[in-house]
Amino acid sequence: MRALVLRAAGTNCDEETCRGFELAGAEPELAHLDTVIRQPDRLDRADLIAFPGGFSYGDDIASGRVFAVKVRERLYPRLRDAVERGVPIIGICNGFQVLAQCGLLPGPDAGEPWPQTPPSPTFALSDNAAGCYVDRWVGVRADPASPCVWTRSWNDLTDKRVAMLPVGHGEGRFVAEPPVLDHLE
């Protein structure tokens, strides 16, 4: 299984992400976003795709914005094709913000096709309500009936109640209109 980990200036945890995939039995490939833009067929060969965390391009405009614009403008069709092939894609921290802003999240309703062009973002990750950077451990519960490839085996790995995961962000407050929340539910 080939895992493609996309990095850019300012990302971090990309080496750890590669190591995690390696420990899980995958063959990781760490590639700079500009390299993948020049050679998009790398996405076609990937069985897993990861967008790691960090402060891509310094987060000078907003978290993940520059990375997301490059992905949206240059790689959306290939990423959409990967999703349609069933390739799991994970966005960690800043990477989740990239996926949200480039049009891959939340995705279409079940059974609907993916749009040919990137849709406009339907939610945002805004400044934390506390107005400061948050760095702590949080308990996360996975629904045992979830089809999510990233969490479906948690019940085998945890005490079947809560997994403790680290969070660290300045823009992590999920903001969406009620119809988007209904769609996600």
Side-chain angles (χ1 to χ4, degrees), residues 90 138-144 146 148-165:
I90 189 167
V138 297
V140 177
R141 189 178 318 270
D143 180 349
S146 172
C148 178
V149 67
W150 305 110
T151 62
R152 66 179 169 216
S153 65
W154 278 15
N155 287 333
D156 299 334
L157 301 173
T158 68
D159 66 1
K160 300 190 184 328
R161 287 180 294 251
V162 176
M164 297 302 291
L165 300 177

Side-chain angles (χ1 to χ4, degrees), residues 47-174:
D47 300 305
L48 299 166
I49 300 171
F51 290 79
F55 301 91
S56 62
Y57 298 102
D59 285 348
D60 291 330
I61 299 171
S63 295
R65 181 78 43 90
V66 175
F67 198 136
V69 167
K70 291 179 90 167
V71 168
R72 183 181 180 86
E73 291 179 359
R74 306 295 296 278
L75 295 176
Y76 175 82
R78 294 283 181 120
L79 287 167
R80 180 201 62 231
D81 292 348
V83 169
E84 288 178 337
R85 285 193 320 274
V87 174
I89 299 176
I90 189 167
I92 304 162
C93 189
N94 193 261
F96 181 84
Q97 293 164 321
V98 169
L99 293 177
Q101 293 179 39
C102 77
L104 289 173
L105 293 175
D109 286 330
E112 288 185 20
W114 278 83
Q116 293 299 307
T117 58
S120 297
T122 58
F123 67 88
L125 292 159
S126 186
D127 292 336
N128 294 334
C132 62
Y133 186 84
V134 172
D135 181 15
R136 67 175 185 257
W137 289 84
V138 297
V140 177
R141 189 178 318 270
D143 180 349
S146 172
C148 178
V149 67
W150 305 110
T151 62
R152 66 179 169 216
S153 65
W154 278 15
N155 287 333
D156 299 334
L157 301 173
T158 68
D159 66 1
K160 300 190 184 328
R161 287 180 294 251
V162 176
M164 297 302 291
L165 300 177
V167 297
H169 53 75
E171 297 176 23
R173 185 169 45 101
F174 188 88

